[in-house]
Amino acid sequence: MDDVTLSPESFARLIDMTSDKVIGGNSAKVIFNEMLRSGGDPEQIVKEKGLAQVSDQGFIQEAVMKVLNDNPSEVEKYLAGKETLLQWFMGQVARATKGKADPNVARGLLVKALEERRK
């Protein structure tokens, strides 16, 4: 334990950043490991590694539309009742945004876009 360079204050800031949705859970793990390794500041690590979560609807909408346009057969299966594909679409949006998309925003935009295609 003497070798741990993580301060309680830095750890608390990391928790706050996660709670405030500045970063997602996966990013928090990366930041935590970096903090353990180097004792770095969580905010600085987020900036250096570009790990901030994005809630910008325009950015996420662009990824959603690309995923849906690139996967028409999955869209048809979803619209035919295979609603478990929503999770697959979520994964594709996460991949397209390199995990930066706020999952709640992404889910809402995905559902809306899929429902619009149902009409």
Side-chain angles (χ1 to χ4, degrees):
M1 288 301 287
D2 291 338
D3 294 337
V4 176
T5 58
L6 177 65
S7 73
E9 295 81 15
S10 291
F11 186 61
R13 287 198 323 272
L14 176 63
I15 292 169
D16 288 344
M17 291 172 72
T18 306
S19 298
D20 295 341
K21 298 186 179 186
V22 173
I23 57 172
N26 289 334
S27 293
K29 291 175 191 175
V30 170
I31 296 163
F32 180 71
N33 287 331
E34 180 67 23
M35 290 169 64
L36 283 176
R37 190 179 65 71
S38 69
D41 176 66
E43 290 89 355
Q44 187 63 35
I45 295 168
V46 167
K47 287 179 187 173
E48 289 172 1
K49 296 189 179 277
L51 296 172
Q53 185 166 273
V54 177
S55 297
D56 177 340
Q57 288 193 2
F59 171 76
I60 298 171
Q61 181 70 31
E62 187 177 311
V64 164
M65 297 313 293
K66 178 165 178 24
V67 166
L68 296 182
N69 291 335
D70 289 352
N71 298 284
S73 64
E74 284 77 10
V75 170
E76 288 303 316
K77 290 175 190 172
Y78 175 88
L79 295 176
K82 191 172 182 183
E83 293 188 5
T84 56
L85 279 170
L86 184 60
Q87 282 306 110
W88 183 82
F89 286 123
M90 286 290 294
Q92 298 305 305
V93 171
R95 181 176 292 142
T97 62
K98 297 183 171 83
K100 293 182 180 183
D102 180 323
N104 294 323
V105 174
R107 182 185 260 350
L109 291 173
L110 261 171
V111 168
K112 182 179 177 187
L114 286 164
E115 290 305 313
E116 286 175 359
R117 289 177 185 231
R118 192 179 300 274
K119 297 176 183 177

